[in-house]
Short mmCIF file of all heavy atoms in Angstrom, two decimals:
data_model
loop_
_atom_site.label_atom_id
_atom_site.label_comp_id
_atom_site.label_asym_id
_atom_site.label_seq_id
_atom_site.Cartn_x
_atom_site.Cartn_y
_atom_site.Cartn_z
N MET A 28 0.87 -1.19 0.01
CA MET A 28 0.03 -0.01 0.05
C MET A 28 0.91 1.25 0.04
O MET A 28 1.85 1.31 0.74
CB MET A 28 -0.88 -0.01 1.29
CG MET A 28 -1.82 1.11 1.34
SD MET A 28 -2.91 0.95 2.72
CE MET A 28 -4.46 1.26 1.92
N LYS A 29 0.53 2.21 -0.81
CA LYS A 29 1.33 3.44 -0.92
C LYS A 29 0.52 4.58 -0.28
O LYS A 29 -0.65 4.67 -0.40
CB LYS A 29 1.59 3.73 -2.39
CG LYS A 29 2.51 2.80 -3.04
CD LYS A 29 3.31 3.45 -4.04
CE LYS A 29 4.32 2.45 -4.53
NZ LYS A 29 5.44 2.98 -5.15
N TYR A 30 1.24 5.45 0.39
CA TYR A 30 0.71 6.58 1.07
C TYR A 30 1.31 7.84 0.48
O TYR A 30 2.42 7.82 -0.03
CB TYR A 30 1.01 6.54 2.58
CG TYR A 30 0.33 5.44 3.31
CD1 TYR A 30 1.04 4.23 3.51
CD2 TYR A 30 -0.97 5.53 3.79
CE1 TYR A 30 0.36 3.17 4.11
CE2 TYR A 30 -1.55 4.53 4.49
CZ TYR A 30 -0.89 3.34 4.61
OH TYR A 30 -1.50 2.21 5.29
N PRO A 31 0.58 8.95 0.55
CA PRO A 31 1.10 10.28 0.00
C PRO A 31 2.13 10.92 0.84
O PRO A 31 2.46 12.08 0.63
CB PRO A 31 -0.15 11.09 -0.23
CG PRO A 31 -1.14 10.61 0.82
CD PRO A 31 -0.84 9.13 0.93
N PHE A 32 2.55 10.23 1.90
CA PHE A 32 3.53 10.86 2.85
C PHE A 32 4.41 9.67 3.35
O PHE A 32 4.02 8.51 3.31
CB PHE A 32 2.83 11.56 3.96
CG PHE A 32 1.91 10.64 4.74
CD1 PHE A 32 2.40 9.96 5.92
CD2 PHE A 32 0.58 10.53 4.40
CE1 PHE A 32 1.57 9.14 6.61
CE2 PHE A 32 -0.30 9.67 5.16
CZ PHE A 32 0.25 9.00 6.20
N PRO A 33 5.59 9.94 3.82
CA PRO A 33 6.50 8.87 4.43
C PRO A 33 5.95 8.42 5.77
O PRO A 33 6.06 9.12 6.75
CB PRO A 33 7.84 9.56 4.54
CG PRO A 33 7.50 11.05 4.61
CD PRO A 33 6.26 11.25 3.91
N VAL A 34 5.34 7.22 5.73
CA VAL A 34 4.76 6.70 6.97
C VAL A 34 5.68 6.51 8.10
O VAL A 34 5.42 6.95 9.22
CB VAL A 34 3.95 5.34 6.69
CG1 VAL A 34 3.44 4.67 7.84
CG2 VAL A 34 2.93 5.58 5.61
N LYS A 35 6.81 5.91 7.82
CA LYS A 35 7.83 5.66 8.84
C LYS A 35 8.31 6.93 9.45
O LYS A 35 8.41 7.06 10.74
CB LYS A 35 8.99 4.87 8.31
CG LYS A 35 8.64 3.37 8.09
CD LYS A 35 9.84 2.48 7.79
CE LYS A 35 10.30 2.72 6.39
NZ LYS A 35 11.44 1.80 6.01
N ASP A 36 8.55 7.92 8.65
CA ASP A 36 9.05 9.23 9.20
C ASP A 36 7.99 9.89 10.03
O ASP A 36 8.22 10.50 11.03
CB ASP A 36 9.46 10.18 8.03
CG ASP A 36 10.67 9.65 7.29
OD1 ASP A 36 11.41 8.79 7.82
OD2 ASP A 36 10.86 10.13 6.11
N SER A 37 6.73 9.78 9.60
CA SER A 37 5.61 10.32 10.36
C SER A 37 5.53 9.67 11.73
O SER A 37 5.33 10.34 12.71
CB SER A 37 4.29 10.20 9.59
OG SER A 37 4.39 10.86 8.35
N ILE A 38 5.62 8.33 11.78
CA ILE A 38 5.53 7.66 13.03
C ILE A 38 6.70 7.99 13.97
O ILE A 38 6.45 8.23 15.15
CB ILE A 38 5.42 6.10 12.81
CG1 ILE A 38 4.16 5.82 12.13
CG2 ILE A 38 5.59 5.36 14.07
CD1 ILE A 38 4.01 4.40 11.66
N MET A 39 7.87 8.10 13.40
CA MET A 39 9.05 8.49 14.21
C MET A 39 8.87 9.94 14.74
O MET A 39 9.29 10.21 15.87
CB MET A 39 10.34 8.38 13.41
CG MET A 39 10.65 6.95 13.03
SD MET A 39 10.74 5.82 14.40
CE MET A 39 12.21 6.40 15.18
N TRP A 40 8.31 10.88 13.92
CA TRP A 40 8.06 12.19 14.38
C TRP A 40 7.09 12.17 15.56
O TRP A 40 7.31 12.94 16.56
CB TRP A 40 7.60 13.05 13.24
CG TRP A 40 7.31 14.46 13.66
CD1 TRP A 40 8.21 15.49 13.72
CD2 TRP A 40 6.10 15.02 14.14
NE1 TRP A 40 7.63 16.62 14.21
CE2 TRP A 40 6.30 16.37 14.42
CE3 TRP A 40 4.78 14.42 14.36
CZ2 TRP A 40 5.28 17.21 14.91
CZ3 TRP A 40 3.82 15.28 14.73
CH2 TRP A 40 4.03 16.63 15.04
N MET A 41 5.99 11.44 15.36
CA MET A 41 4.98 11.36 16.47
C MET A 41 5.56 10.79 17.68
O MET A 41 5.29 11.23 18.77
CB MET A 41 3.74 10.60 16.00
CG MET A 41 2.92 11.34 15.12
SD MET A 41 1.32 10.50 14.76
CE MET A 41 1.77 9.28 13.64
N ALA A 42 6.44 9.78 17.57
CA ALA A 42 7.09 9.10 18.75
C ALA A 42 7.89 10.12 19.57
O ALA A 42 7.99 9.98 20.77
CB ALA A 42 7.95 7.97 18.23
N ASP A 43 8.41 11.14 18.91
CA ASP A 43 9.17 12.14 19.66
C ASP A 43 8.24 13.04 20.53
O ASP A 43 8.74 13.70 21.36
CB ASP A 43 9.96 13.08 18.62
CG ASP A 43 11.12 12.38 18.03
OD1 ASP A 43 11.67 11.43 18.66
OD2 ASP A 43 11.49 12.75 16.88
N HIS A 44 6.97 13.07 20.22
CA HIS A 44 6.08 13.96 20.89
C HIS A 44 5.01 13.32 21.77
O HIS A 44 4.05 13.93 22.26
CB HIS A 44 5.31 14.76 19.85
CG HIS A 44 6.26 15.71 19.05
ND1 HIS A 44 6.90 15.23 17.88
CD2 HIS A 44 6.68 16.95 19.23
CE1 HIS A 44 7.68 16.14 17.49
NE2 HIS A 44 7.57 17.20 18.18
N VAL A 45 5.16 12.03 22.01
CA VAL A 45 4.18 11.31 22.84
C VAL A 45 4.87 10.72 24.10
O VAL A 45 6.08 10.55 24.17
CB VAL A 45 3.47 10.17 22.04
CG1 VAL A 45 2.67 10.69 20.95
CG2 VAL A 45 4.44 9.11 21.60
N ASP A 46 4.05 10.35 25.06
CA ASP A 46 4.60 9.81 26.31
C ASP A 46 4.55 8.30 26.33
O ASP A 46 5.12 7.67 27.24
CB ASP A 46 3.86 10.37 27.54
CG ASP A 46 4.03 11.90 27.60
OD1 ASP A 46 5.19 12.34 27.45
OD2 ASP A 46 3.04 12.60 27.81
N LEU A 47 3.79 7.71 25.49
CA LEU A 47 3.54 6.28 25.47
C LEU A 47 3.34 5.82 24.05
O LEU A 47 2.64 6.39 23.27
CB LEU A 47 2.22 6.00 26.29
CG LEU A 47 1.89 4.53 26.49
CD1 LEU A 47 2.90 3.83 27.33
CD2 LEU A 47 0.50 4.46 27.23
N ILE A 48 4.04 4.68 23.69
CA ILE A 48 3.85 4.07 22.36
C ILE A 48 3.34 2.70 22.55
O ILE A 48 3.90 1.83 23.16
CB ILE A 48 5.23 4.06 21.67
CG1 ILE A 48 5.84 5.46 21.52
CG2 ILE A 48 5.13 3.37 20.25
CD1 ILE A 48 7.27 5.47 21.04
N LEU A 49 2.11 2.49 22.03
CA LEU A 49 1.51 1.19 22.07
C LEU A 49 1.58 0.54 20.68
O LEU A 49 1.14 1.09 19.74
CB LEU A 49 0.06 1.34 22.55
CG LEU A 49 -0.19 1.94 23.85
CD1 LEU A 49 -1.69 2.07 24.19
CD2 LEU A 49 0.47 1.18 24.97
N VAL A 50 2.12 -0.63 20.65
CA VAL A 50 2.33 -1.33 19.33
C VAL A 50 1.35 -2.55 19.45
O VAL A 50 1.47 -3.44 20.29
CB VAL A 50 3.73 -1.84 19.10
CG1 VAL A 50 3.84 -2.56 17.82
CG2 VAL A 50 4.69 -0.64 19.18
N PHE A 51 0.32 -2.52 18.54
CA PHE A 51 -0.68 -3.61 18.50
C PHE A 51 -0.41 -4.51 17.27
O PHE A 51 -0.32 -4.05 16.21
CB PHE A 51 -2.05 -2.95 18.40
CG PHE A 51 -2.46 -2.11 19.56
CD1 PHE A 51 -2.64 -0.76 19.48
CD2 PHE A 51 -2.71 -2.71 20.80
CE1 PHE A 51 -2.99 0.02 20.46
CE2 PHE A 51 -3.07 -1.92 21.91
CZ PHE A 51 -3.21 -0.60 21.73
N PHE A 52 -0.30 -5.77 17.55
CA PHE A 52 -0.08 -6.77 16.50
C PHE A 52 -1.41 -7.51 16.35
O PHE A 52 -1.94 -8.05 17.31
CB PHE A 52 1.03 -7.73 16.89
CG PHE A 52 2.38 -7.11 16.95
CD1 PHE A 52 2.97 -6.80 18.18
CD2 PHE A 52 3.00 -6.80 15.81
CE1 PHE A 52 4.19 -6.21 18.21
CE2 PHE A 52 4.28 -6.19 15.82
CZ PHE A 52 4.86 -5.85 17.09
N ASP A 53 -1.82 -7.55 15.10
CA ASP A 53 -3.07 -8.21 14.75
C ASP A 53 -2.71 -9.67 14.38
O ASP A 53 -1.84 -9.93 13.59
CB ASP A 53 -3.57 -7.52 13.48
CG ASP A 53 -4.93 -7.95 13.08
OD1 ASP A 53 -5.31 -9.13 13.33
OD2 ASP A 53 -5.64 -7.21 12.41
#
Side-chain angles (χ1 to χ4, degrees):
M28 181 173 228
K29 294 214 174 200
Y30 294 93
F32 58 91
V34 175
K35 286 191 282 186
D36 294 341
S37 300
I38 291 172
M39 295 305 292
W40 180 86
M41 283 189 285
D43 289 334
H44 297 87
V45 298
D46 297 316
L47 185 64
I48 301 170
L49 301 177
V50 181
F51 297 111
F52 293 103
D53 187 333

